[in-house]
Amino acid sequence: MPRFLIVGAPGAGKGTHAGSIADRYHVPAISTGAMFRSEIASGSDLGKQIDALVSSGQLVSDDLTNQVVKSRLAQPDCITGWLLDGYPRTVDQVKFLDGILDDTKAKLTAVIMLDVPSDEVIKRLIKRAQIEGRADDTPDVIKHRQEVYEAQTAPVIAEYEARGLVVHVDGSGTIEQSADNLMEALDGLKV
Ligand code: ADP
């Protein structure tokens, strides 16, 4: 059963490519960032608390994020597999996901790592800010998100590397080029 993670720096193109992986394997693409943005858009009290963190480039707490993911993975559309985009982002979240997988005797298929040089991701985020106007795409917040990524999420990738699960995909260049690289990498997997 296909159970994928897609990881990479903010701006690496996780959201862009998540859809094509999900289509290929007929599984839902689950983005914690998108779930948080929709909670913020609902205007709820919880959304307001999340907004304060997301718009300043900080991570939402592990407890809240873990619970959101756990209840999403319990939905019926996840029975045949899933793709997680933007989770886990901390070592604590890795352990929590390990627990969910163990409970159902499930295993990860692969961790797709989109490799993009840091100067290129920053250029992309600045461009996205002009087009989409995301509150967390201002220069200071972009810089902070990259720092948080290095400090908190690089160890997550190291952990999955140690487990032999990481599949590197060159995510630099155009969307078409990286989409081709991704499909080629997926062709090489046994799913
Ligand atoms: P990007 O990868 O470009 O930073 P995302 O949409 O994945 O964009 O995430 C946007 C923001 O949502 C993050 O900066 C963070 O504040 C919050 N967020 C998303 N996923 C997580 C997570 N797994 N743990 C904690 N916070 C998260």
Side-chain angles (χ1 to χ4, degrees):
M1 193 168 306
R3 291 188 197 86
F4 284 98
L5 308 180
I6 184 163
V7 298
K14 299 185 296 290
T16 304
H17 295 298
S20 40
I21 303 176
D23 287 349
R24 178 174 171 140
Y25 297 105
H26 310 289
V27 294
I30 299 168
S31 157
T32 43
M35 287 195 283
F36 291 146
R37 282 188 289 280
S38 81
E39 188 66 39
I40 294 169
S42 80
S44 67
D45 282 345
L46 179 62
K48 285 180 187 130
Q49 291 167 36
I50 293 173
D51 190 22
L53 297 166
V54 171
S55 58
S56 60
Q58 298 173 71
L59 295 182
V60 176
S61 75
D62 285 331
D63 271 355
L64 176 61
T65 307
N66 287 335
Q67 290 314 319
V68 163
V69 171
K70 187 174 183 183
S71 55
R72 181 64 188 86
L73 292 181
Q75 298 295 308
D77 62 336
C78 292
I79 288 172
T80 53
W82 36 257
L83 165 76
L84 286 171
D85 159 9
Y87 181 93
R89 248 177 164 91
T90 66
V91 170
D92 181 277
Q93 294 178 12
V94 171
K95 299 211 172 95
F96 189 84
L97 179 61
D98 285 343
I100 296 179
L101 289 163
D102 285 349
D103 285 347
T104 51
K105 305 237 179 321
K107 281 196 163 36
L108 285 176
T109 307
V111 176
I112 308 295
M113 167 77 191
L114 287 172
D115 292 314
V116 181
S118 66
D119 52 341
E120 188 170 337
V121 291
I122 290 167
K123 273 192 215 141
R124 288 183 188 178
L125 291 174
I126 290 169
K127 200 165 155 200
R128 182 168 83 187
Q130 291 158 355
I131 299 166
E132 293 179 18
R134 249 173 66 168
D136 57 348
D137 278 346
T138 64
D140 281 353
V141 176
I142 288 171
K143 186 164 170 280
H144 186 59
R145 279 160 60 214
Q146 303 296 333
E147 289 163 0
V148 168
Y149 175 78
E150 284 305 324
Q152 310 255 58
T153 309
V156 167
I157 294 158
E159 172 64 29
Y160 287 124
E161 286 277 11
R163 298 184 193 182
L165 282 169
V166 179
V167 175
H168 286 273
V169 172
D170 181 356
S172 63
T174 65
I175 292 179
E176 290 73 22
Q177 281 163 348
S178 43
D180 285 350
N181 297 336
L182 172 64
M183 287 304 143
E184 207 179 308
L186 296 176
D187 286 343
L189 291 179
K190 279 200 216 113
V191 181

Coordinates of all heavy atoms in Angstrom, one line a residue, residues 10-11 14 32-34 36-37 54 58-60 65 86-87 89 93 128 134 136 145, ligand 1:
P10 N 11.0 24.8 2.6 CA 9.9 25.7 2.1 C 10.3 26.2 0.8 O 11.4 26.7 0.6 CB 9.9 26.8 3.2 CG 10.5 26.2 4.4 CD 11.6 25.2 3.9
G11 N 9.4 26.1 -0.2 CA 9.7 26.6 -1.5 C 10.3 25.5 -2.5 O 10.5 25.8 -3.7
K14 N 7.0 21.1 -2.7 CA 6.2 19.9 -2.2 C 4.8 19.9 -2.6 O 4.2 19.0 -3.1 CB 6.3 19.9 -0.7 CG 7.7 19.8 -0.1 CD 7.7 19.6 1.4 CE 7.2 20.9 2.1 NZ 8.0 22.1 2.0
T32 N -0.4 19.5 5.8 CA -0.6 20.1 7.1 C -0.7 21.6 7.0 O -1.6 22.3 7.6 CB 0.4 19.7 8.2 OG1 1.7 19.8 7.6 CG2 0.2 18.3 8.7
G33 N 0.2 22.2 6.1 CA 0.1 23.6 5.9 C -1.2 24.1 5.4 O -1.8 25.0 5.8
A34 N -1.8 23.3 4.4 CA -3.1 23.6 3.8 C -4.2 23.5 4.9 O -5.1 24.3 4.9 CB -3.4 22.8 2.6
F36 N -3.9 23.9 8.1 CA -3.8 25.0 9.0 C -4.3 26.3 8.3 O -5.0 27.0 8.9 CB -2.3 25.2 9.4 CG -1.8 24.1 10.3 CD1 -0.5 23.7 10.3 CD2 -2.7 23.5 11.2 CE1 0.0 22.7 11.1 CE2 -2.2 22.5 12.1 CZ -0.9 22.1 12.0
R37 N -4.0 26.5 7.0 CA -4.5 27.7 6.3 C -6.0 27.6 6.3 O -6.7 28.7 6.4 CB -3.9 27.8 4.9 CG -2.5 28.4 5.0 CD -1.9 28.7 3.6 NE -1.6 27.5 2.8 CZ -0.5 26.8 3.0 NH1 0.4 27.1 3.8 NH2 -0.3 25.7 2.2
V54 N 1.9 30.6 12.3 CA 2.2 30.4 10.8 C 2.7 31.7 10.2 O 3.7 31.7 9.5 CB 1.0 29.9 10.1 CG1 1.2 29.9 8.6 CG2 0.7 28.4 10.6
Q58 N 6.8 30.4 12.5 CA 7.1 29.4 13.5 C 6.3 28.1 13.3 O 5.3 28.2 12.5 CB 6.7 29.9 14.9 CG 7.5 31.2 15.3 CD 6.9 31.8 16.6 OE1 7.1 31.2 17.6 NE2 6.3 32.9 16.4
L59 N 6.7 27.0 13.9 CA 5.9 25.8 13.7 C 4.7 25.8 14.7 O 4.8 26.3 15.8 CB 6.8 24.6 14.0 CG 7.9 24.3 13.0 CD1 8.7 23.0 13.4 CD2 7.5 24.2 11.6
V60 N 3.6 25.2 14.2 CA 2.5 24.9 15.1 C 3.0 23.8 16.1 O 3.9 23.0 15.8 CB 1.3 24.4 14.3 CG1 0.1 24.0 15.1 CG2 0.9 25.5 13.3
T65 N -0.4 19.5 15.9 CA -0.1 19.0 14.6 C -0.3 17.5 14.6 O -1.0 16.9 13.7 CB 1.3 19.3 14.2 OG1 1.5 20.7 14.3 CG2 1.5 19.0 12.7
G86 N 4.5 18.0 4.2 CA 4.7 19.0 5.3 C 4.7 18.4 6.7 O 4.7 19.1 7.7
Y87 N 4.6 17.1 6.7 CA 4.6 16.3 8.0 C 5.3 15.0 7.8 O 5.1 14.4 6.8 CB 3.2 16.1 8.5 CG 3.0 15.3 9.8 CD1 2.9 16.0 11.0 CD2 3.1 13.9 9.8 CE1 2.8 15.3 12.2 CE2 3.0 13.3 11.0 CZ 2.8 14.0 12.2 OH 2.8 13.3 13.4
R89 N 7.7 17.2 10.6 CA 8.6 18.3 10.4 C 9.6 18.5 11.6 O 10.4 19.3 11.6 CB 7.9 19.6 10.3 CG 7.9 20.4 9.0 CD 7.0 21.6 9.2 NE 7.2 22.6 8.2 CZ 6.5 22.7 7.1 NH1 5.6 21.7 6.7 NH2 6.7 23.7 6.3
Q93 N 7.5 14.6 15.9 CA 6.4 14.2 14.9 C 6.8 12.9 14.2 O 5.9 12.0 14.0 CB 6.2 15.3 13.9 CG 5.6 16.6 14.5 CD 5.4 17.7 13.5 OE1 5.5 17.5 12.3 NE2 5.1 18.9 14.0
R128 N 6.6 33.8 -5.2 CA 5.3 33.4 -4.8 C 4.6 34.4 -4.0 O 3.3 34.6 -4.1 CB 5.4 32.1 -4.0 CG 4.1 31.5 -3.6 CD 4.2 30.1 -3.0 NE 4.6 30.1 -1.6 CZ 4.9 29.0 -0.9 NH1 4.9 27.8 -1.5 NH2 5.2 29.1 0.3
R134 N 0.8 35.0 0.2 CA 0.7 34.3 1.5 C 1.3 35.1 2.6 O 2.4 35.6 2.4 CB 1.4 32.9 1.3 CG 0.4 31.8 1.4 CD 1.1 30.5 1.1 NE 2.1 30.1 2.1 CZ 2.6 28.9 2.1 NH1 2.3 28.0 1.2 NH2 3.5 28.6 3.1
D136 N 2.9 34.3 5.1 CA 4.2 33.9 5.6 C 5.3 33.9 4.6 O 6.3 33.3 4.7 CB 4.1 32.5 6.2 CG 3.6 31.4 5.3 OD1 3.1 31.8 4.2 OD2 3.7 30.2 5.6
R145 N 11.7 30.8 8.3 CA 11.2 29.5 8.0 C 12.4 28.6 7.5 O 12.4 27.4 7.8 CB 10.1 29.5 6.9 CG 8.8 29.9 7.5 CD 7.8 30.4 6.5 NE 7.5 29.5 5.5 CZ 7.2 29.9 4.2 NH1 7.2 31.2 3.9 NH2 6.9 29.0 3.3
Ligands
ADP1 P1 6.2 25.6 3.4 O1 6.7 24.2 3.2 O2 6.4 26.4 2.2 O3 6.7 26.2 4.6 P2 3.6 24.6 4.3 O4 2.3 25.0 3.7 O5 4.0 23.2 4.3 O6 4.6 25.6 3.6 O7 3.6 25.2 5.8 C1 3.2 26.5 6.2 C2 3.3 26.7 7.7 O8 2.4 25.8 8.4 C3 4.7 26.3 8.3 O9 5.6 27.4 8.2 C4 4.2 26.1 9.8 O10 4.0 27.3 10.5 C5 2.9 25.4 9.6 N1 3.1 23.9 9.5 C6 2.9 23.1 8.4 N2 3.2 21.8 8.7 C7 3.6 21.8 10.0 C8 4.1 20.7 10.8 N3 4.2 19.4 10.4 N4 4.4 21.0 12.1 C9 4.3 22.3 12.6 N5 3.9 23.3 11.8 C10 3.5 23.1 10.5

